[in-house]
Amino acid sequence: MPELPEVETTRRGLAPHLQGRLIQAVTLRRPDLRWPIPAEVARDLPGQRITGVRRRAKYLLMDVESGDSALLHLGMSGSLRVLPADTAVRAHDHVDIALAAKGRGAGQVLRFNDPRRFGSLLWQPAGQTHELLQGLGPEPLSDDFDGDYLFELSRGRKAPVKTFLMDQAVVVGVGNIYAAESLYRAGISPLRAAGRVSRERYLALADAVKDILGHAIARGGTTLRDFISPDGAPGYFEQELSAYGRGGEPCPRCGRPMKQANIGQRATVWCGHCQK
DNA sequence: AGGTAAACCTGGACGC
DNA sequence: TGCGTCCAGGTTTACC
């Protein structure tokens, strides 16, 4: 489900609810997610105040006073909601982080639901960077990411440019939806070898990535099946998708039918006329 | 080292 | 209605 805009939407939805709140208890109903949930999560979180919610790539970091962080990844089907503490538990509600009541109001719970269990809840000790966060590429919305960077890094690479763009060691946060959209916007065929894309066209691609991700965040992300923000709202970017999910439909630009094929095991849609 | 494919898991859509 | 097949927003791991 979630690429950078959906994770950032989740972060923005969570932050105001979690900032400064006291964690009362942690309930693990199903500790076997992508990886087992480390013992520290249930042992060290209760009694601590949340100091912030950050995002790096598609990971969320919930920081607490001790300097430790809970590291969350939503995988393909994960979602985080802030709910009244007495909300009935549903299928695939794997983890609850109970928040102490503010004043005399009722308490709330941060609930992690993930049908496919590709998501994860891990632990990053104070002062350390989790192994999974090492070796990641730059944030696409930062100044470290631009067309020159893509051009230099791609020299000699034979993998398709779409595969290159989705490689989290190249740039983080771009998944299957936004890779297709960005390449469509930039007029680059997803099949083209990464090393065979010019500097000029990488400038257009980097601009497209930034623009599309920024716009998707402003729309609250893309809801295809099940993405939902912490407040329960869907994202509204789906209606603005030009390529993803439109195989066989007319190209919005030239009207010719959009092509579809698997590239790097992922369904890919593009226009054979507008993208070279 | 780069490139590719399998693997992890569940639910929904579809065809028969 | 039921069953088999295919597909899905991610990423590690293994292998060439």
Side-chain angles (χ1 to χ4, degrees):
Chain A
M1 131 218 212
E3 303 183 35
L4 187 146
E6 292 73 41
V7 179
E8 179 60 22
T9 295
T10 298
R11 191 198 69 75
R12 292 182 184 189
L14 290 178
H17 292 294
L18 300 187
Q19 186 83 37
R21 296 291 290 279
L22 182 66
I23 296 173
Q24 213 164 41
V26 173
T27 304
L28 307 180
R29 293 190 194 84
R30 183 110 208 210
D32 55 328
L33 304 183
R34 173 68 198 264
W35 289 285
I37 296 173
E40 289 93 331
V41 171
R43 194 187 66 200
D44 296 351
L45 281 183
Q48 294 213 57
R49 214 165 273 284
I50 298 167
T51 56
V53 184
R54 291 178 291 146
R55 179 189 59 74
R56 169 70 174 119
K58 297 173 190 169
Y59 293 91
L60 289 169
L61 294 109
M62 186 178 76
D63 304 321
V64 293
E65 293 168 291
S66 59
D68 302 319
S69 305
L71 186 62
L72 286 145
H73 196 291
L74 301 176
M76 289 279 263
S77 56
S79 61
L80 289 162
R81 307 268 317 258
V82 176
L83 300 163
D86 59 357
T87 306
V89 171
R90 307 178 64 162
H92 314 299
D93 283 341
H94 304 311
V95 180
D96 276 0
I97 296 178
L99 307 168
K102 287 187 290 193
R104 57 186 82 157
Q108 289 175 308
V109 62
L110 171 63
R111 185 162 286 169
F112 181 58
N113 179 285
D114 184 8
R116 292 176 73 180
R117 280 186 284 126
F118 286 176
S120 51
L121 171 49
L122 299 166
W123 190 254
Q124 178 172 281
Q128 294 184 34
T129 300
H130 195 282
E131 194 180 335
L132 292 172
L133 300 186
Q134 295 174 23
L136 291 174
E139 287 289 328
L141 299 176
S142 76
D143 291 340
D144 293 337
F145 175 74
D146 60 21
D148 287 327
Y149 165 80
L150 285 177
F151 177 76
E152 301 298 342
L153 190 61
S154 62
R155 291 311 84 187
R157 299 282 203 111
K158 292 180 179 169
V161 61
K162 175 162 180 269
T163 304
F164 177 71
L165 188 62
M166 289 174 65
D167 182 346
Q168 301 300 296
V170 171
V171 60
V172 302
V174 182
N176 204 33
I177 295 178
Y178 298 107
E181 294 301 306
S182 301
L183 289 163
Y184 177 78
R185 171 85 65 90
I188 300 169
S189 166
L191 292 165
R192 177 174 287 273
R196 294 254 172 140
V197 176
S198 70
R199 184 186 297 270
E200 183 186 12
R201 306 183 79 206
Y202 269 125
L203 295 179
L205 181 58
D207 284 351
V209 167
K210 288 173 189 283
D211 195 66
I212 288 169
L213 292 182
H215 203 61
I217 292 169
R219 292 282 180 278
T222 301
T223 295
L224 294 180
R225 292 164 256 289
D226 47 15
F227 172 70
I228 199 163
S229 80
D231 299 314
Y236 293 99
F237 195 70
E238 181 190 4
Q239 51 210 72
E240 301 185 37
L241 297 178
S242 299
Y244 181 88
R246 295 183 174 277
E249 295 179 27
C251 166
R253 197 178 302 162
C254 76
R256 292 175 176 79
M258 303 279 281
K259 293 179 183 295
Q260 174 156 354
N262 270 22
I263 299 177
Q265 306 184 95
R266 310 302 297 275
T268 306
V269 175
W270 75 102
C271 174
H273 180 256
C274 298
Q275 294 174 256
K276 299 292 186 189

